[in-house]
Amino acid sequence: MERKQFLRSIGSAAAFAVIFPCVQGCSSDEGGETQPEEGNLEVPEGVDFILDLQASENAALANSGGYVLKDKVVVARNLEGEYVAASQVCSHQGYDEVRFVSQNGGIFYCDVHGSQFEQDGSPINQVDSSTPKPLKIFQTALEGSTLRVFE
């Protein structure tokens, strides 16, 4: 191998060694896909499903403050023992990170930017300069050990 060829091969390898970690740093930990800047997920529409409250996957609903996630909906048993349901997709920036938490008497909370909502969907706090939008709420109907969640 001539000296020019050797230096070129070393140069390419060095460039690869420097650039590869930078490219890897721009991807997420899950599958190497880049994370979106904003959630921008759509709020669920046409919601109508049944939960079997005796099924093991719904066991969290046996306790006040417990919740389950289904079809982009958070279904919770509030601190008074009533069932409430809201969009899992936050009205702030469309991330699907809304959960039910027991603080402040039981609220819906998105941990991406700290958005908080009353059980009726009313925003509690403002996380940036935009006017807070309500969280979409769904109806619930209990019949025996089945809970229907619908619009």
Side-chain angles (χ1 to χ4, degrees), residues 50-108:
I50 302 286
L51 294 176
D52 178 359
L53 297 177
Q54 294 179 335
S56 60
E57 64 266 17
N58 300 321
L61 295 175
N63 302 312
S64 294
Y67 69 88
V68 296
L69 306 174
K70 181 176 170 121
D71 299 339
K72 299 288 184 205
V73 175
V74 180
V75 181
R77 188 165 186 185
N78 68 17
L79 303 182
E80 292 79 36
E82 299 168 348
Y83 296 99
V84 293
S87 170
Q88 184 181 332
V89 178
C90 185
S91 63
H92 174 237
Q93 287 189 348
Y95 288 96
D96 63 345
E97 296 296 324
V98 174
R99 305 296 188 262
F100 186 82
V101 295
S102 296
Q103 71 188 48
N104 300 330
I107 62 170
F108 291 104

Side-chain angles (χ1 to χ4, degrees), residues 1-13:
M1 178 183 285
E2 291 184 14
R3 187 173 75 126
K4 271 187 174 178
Q5 289 175 325
F6 177 74
L7 290 175
R8 281 186 191 148
S9 68
I10 292 290
S12 297

